[in-house]
Amino acid sequence: MIIVKDLRKKYVDDDVTTLALSDVSFTINKGEFVSIIGPSGSGKSTLLHILSFLDRPTSGIYTFLGKGIDQMTDVELAEVRNKDMGFVFQSFNLLLRLSVYENVEIPLLYSKLPPSERKTVVEKAVASVGLSEKLYIEAGKLSGGQKQRVAIARALVNNPDVIFADEPTGNLDSKSGAQVMGILEDLNNKGHTIILVTHETSTAEFADRIIRIRDGEVESDTPVKNRRRSIDQFEK
């Protein structure tokens, strides 16, 4: 699904050049659950932005589903991002005055799905994260864990090939965090590719592999021998 080879990213501010990523290389297969972990300033967020088409590399190769990012226009990148990628953020990025239904529906407004079919798709996505009874509640009235589950439903609504999760448990208590990881684990078991960015080893260990980034370079890329499993039930 993803091929990254000799990826570099430089930022230039006046006369100061900062090398955020240096010769990063790895592959991710369809259906994998991969964690990218590293301390603050390691380059993991820059890498996530490139992988999710929010930024372009300075040099190197990035191929997604057989097509290089350098071969795609900004409009094409946006289309792929909406159709083939789902996003879950630490800060949820919900519109708090809109209902759960309206928040989850947003990606469909930019899709080719007929309006008559949206309701079924939204309801299915919300049900998959255990929040059917909250469908028409304002997002701002939900708990942190529930908001993150709405964000996951929104990420799922277009049935993307890959879900990017950026510190998805960072603003949650341990119970809510475990519930969110349980949902991501279940999605992976159903065939979704999950790419998780985190600074927490305990969260990273839900994945099949951990790619460690330090000072803009891949420090290690190793399988998880004892992958963590979620046993918590969803909060009702």
Side-chain angles (χ1 to χ4, degrees), residues 2 12 44 55 68 111-112 154 156 179 182 189 206 209:
I2 288 174
V12 179
K44 64 182 186 298
D55 199 358
S111 73
K112 297 180 180 178
R154 182 184 57 196
L156 282 175
Q179 291 167 347
N189 290 338
F206 278 91
R209 284 166 57 199

Side-chain angles (χ1 to χ4, degrees), residues 15-236:
D15 294 329
V16 178
T17 299
T18 301
L19 186 60
L21 294 174
S22 177
D23 299 324
V24 171
S25 299
F26 57 82
T27 61
I28 296 176
N29 295 320
K30 185 175 177 59
E32 277 197 282
F33 191 153
V34 178
S35 288
I36 298 173
I37 188 171
S40 178
S42 62
K44 64 182 186 298
S45 293
T46 299
L47 178 58
L48 175 67
H49 289 164
I50 293 173
L51 293 179
S52 58
F53 289 0
L54 294 172
D55 199 358
R56 292 179 182 265
T58 303
S59 63
I61 296 171
Y62 172 30
T63 301
F64 179 76
L65 293 176
K67 192 167 184 179
I69 190 173
D70 59 324
Q71 301 171 340
M72 303 170 72
T73 66
D74 289 345
V75 172
E76 289 173 326
L77 292 180
E79 290 175 349
V80 171
R81 195 160 56 236
N82 187 61
K83 176 178 176 289
D84 297 319
M85 299 177 175
F87 301 89
V88 182
F89 303 96
Q90 178 177 350
S91 56
F92 318 133
N93 286 11
L94 301 179
L95 297 176
L96 300 183
R97 293 189 177 182
L98 297 186
S99 67
V100 168
Y101 181 98
E102 291 169 318
N103 271 280
V104 175
E105 185 188 28
I106 288 173
L108 297 178
L109 302 179
Y110 305 95
S111 73
K112 297 180 180 178
L113 187 72
S116 59
E117 298 179 24
R118 289 177 190 165
K119 188 172 187 291
T120 299
V121 174
V122 171
E123 289 178 346
K124 181 179 179 181
V126 174
S128 73
V129 298
L131 287 177
S132 293
E133 77 283 1
K134 305 289 186 182
L135 193 62
Y136 296 107
I137 300 295
E138 284 186 9
K141 296 180 179 179
L142 302 178
S143 69
Q146 290 170 335
K147 288 175 183 174
Q148 194 60 292
R149 284 152 61 186
V150 173
I152 293 173
R154 182 184 57 196
L156 282 175
V157 77
N158 274 331
N159 193 30
D161 288 298
V162 58
I163 296 173
F164 294 98
D166 187 7
E167 300 281 8
T169 63
N171 285 336
L172 305 179
D173 58 42
S174 58
K175 179 180 178 181
S176 296
Q179 291 167 347
V180 165
M181 292 309 301
I183 295 173
L184 292 177
E185 178 185 45
D186 184 56
L187 293 173
N188 179 239
N189 290 338
K190 292 177 179 176
H192 289 278
T193 304
I194 309 292
I195 299 177
L196 170 73
V197 171
T198 183
H199 67 279
E200 298 176 340
T201 300
S202 59
T203 301
E205 289 174 348
F206 278 91
D208 301 306
R209 284 166 57 199
I210 296 178
I211 298 174
R212 295 183 182 275
I213 303 291
R214 183 176 294 275
D215 298 329
E217 299 180 352
V218 174
E219 186 177 55
S220 63
D221 182 352
T222 57
V224 178
K225 293 182 179 179
N226 297 304
R227 179 178 171 182
R228 292 188 68 194
R229 302 288 178 179
S230 175
I231 61 173
D232 293 313
Q233 298 297 312
F234 300 158
E235 177 186 354
K236 299 296 185 182

